[in-house]
Amino acid sequence: MFKLVLLGPPGAGKGTQAVQICKAWELVHISTGDMLREEIKRNSDVGKLASEYLHKGELVPNDLIISMVQQRLAEPDASHGLVLDGFPRTIEQAEALEKLVHIDMAINIAVDSDLLLERICNRRTCIHCKAVFNADDVSGVCTRCGHKLYIRDDDRPETFINRLSVYEARTAPIIEYYRETGKLVTIDGNCSPDEVFKQIMLALAEKIDD
Ligand code: AP5
């Protein structure tokens, strides 16, 4: 079973594609952003520590996130295939991941920056099942589970701009890291979600044929 990493700037569509990939290949979706938001909701110690970083659009410290992912990967369902969405985000995290699990492919969803802000401003997230939608396609209620949709605190334009510059400075270098390992596949993320998904499916089919 595949063990995949999804890379890409904020709003690239990592979460959207992770859900589709997991459905198609019966993989487990591990989103560090969702895990952190859950901790914040529970007001746990990790949540208390992480909340200020998320609010500002900064990365939470490497040791905190690496230990959280390490614990998640130790759970039984993670021994099958998985999609990591939002991790790794620094070279240190990528190196730590290598010691935890063998990654088959790093899929980089490349999107022009002018499209990203528009997507982020239009994103609506389900308070319950965490599904994401474009505001134009929904009425304020999740079409999957019927719960309310909300706007993520870090989707404010000023926070998004910081997230993007943090991405460029700290996360973009891991694209080169995965290129050097021969595991990088870059997908054109400027098209519709269905078209992005088709490109990913093609890359995975080619991987099987290898
Ligand atoms: P996280 O939740 O991971 O946020 P992110 O990486 O910034 O990514 P997003 O969730 O914003 O976007 P996405 O690429 O998943 O896009 P989506 O599919 O939703 O992290 C949040 C914070 O947590 C970080 O800032 C940091 O503080 C902390 N954190 C998390 N992981 C960490 C780590 N490893 N280390 C340190 N800190 C960490 O799509 C966006 C919108 O566009 C949606 O409305 C969607 O419907 C729409 N859309 C998607 N695809 C398309 C398309 N092809 N065409 C048109 N619209 C599209």
Side-chain angles (χ1 to χ4, degrees):
M1 265 300 171
F2 289 122
K3 294 197 168 149
L4 309 172
V5 159
L6 283 187
L7 304 174
K14 301 180 294 296
T16 303
Q17 295 302 324
V19 169
Q20 296 305 321
I21 300 167
C22 288
K23 202 168 150 194
W25 293 89
E26 294 186 7
L27 306 178
V28 172
H29 180 191
I30 299 180
S31 157
T32 44
D34 282 350
M35 288 165 80
L36 289 167
R37 283 184 287 277
E38 204 51 44
E39 295 292 337
I40 293 170
K41 205 164 132 192
R42 292 199 301 118
N43 203 23
S44 67
D45 290 344
V46 168
K48 281 178 198 153
L49 243 167
S51 87
E52 201 54 23
Y53 292 95
L54 269 82
H55 181 70
K56 291 184 187 154
E58 298 289 333
L59 297 185
V60 304
N62 280 327
D63 51 355
L64 183 153
I65 200 84
I66 291 168
S67 121
M68 204 172 89
V69 170
Q70 185 169 11
Q71 283 173 40
R72 180 64 186 88
L73 292 177
E75 287 176 30
D77 64 342
S79 62
H80 305 294
L82 52 88
V83 176
L84 279 165
D85 158 15
F87 186 94
R89 253 177 156 101
T90 62
I91 296 284
E92 196 178 335
Q93 291 178 22
E95 288 170 349
L97 180 63
E98 212 166 290
K99 293 183 191 136
L100 295 174
V101 69
H102 171 84
I103 293 297
D104 299 298
M105 193 186 280
I107 300 172
N108 175 34
I109 306 177
V111 180
D112 297 342
S113 6
D114 52 338
L115 283 181
L116 297 172
L117 179 61
E118 192 188 319
R119 287 189 191 176
I120 287 288
C121 290
N122 285 333
R123 172 165 53 193
R124 299 294 178 272
T125 305
C126 175
I127 208 153
H128 180 67
C129 74
K130 302 177 189 75
V132 294
F133 300 93
N134 185 302
D136 299 334
D137 303 333
V138 283
S139 64
V141 170
C142 178
T143 55
R144 296 195 194 148
C145 72
H147 284 77
K148 271 191 189 163
L149 302 179
Y150 78 108
I151 300 175
R152 259 168 58 177
D153 171 58
D154 59 349
D155 280 350
R156 289 167 291 126
E158 61 277 22
T159 311
F160 168 74
I161 287 161
N162 191 42
R163 283 162 63 198
L164 196 55
S165 63
V166 168
Y167 168 81
E168 293 297 347
R170 299 192 62 197
T171 305
I174 65 176
I175 294 175
E176 205 43 49
Y177 173 93
Y178 280 112
R179 198 190 312 278
E180 282 168 14
T181 64
K183 291 178 180 170
L184 184 76
V185 172
T186 295
I187 299 291
D188 176 10
N190 293 300
C191 37
S192 73
D194 284 351
E195 282 164 318
V196 176
F197 183 60
K198 271 187 206 152
Q199 293 179 63
I200 295 175
M201 286 297 102
L202 210 61
L204 292 176
E206 280 172 14
K207 177 82 187 162
I208 289 180
D209 289 344
D210 266 0

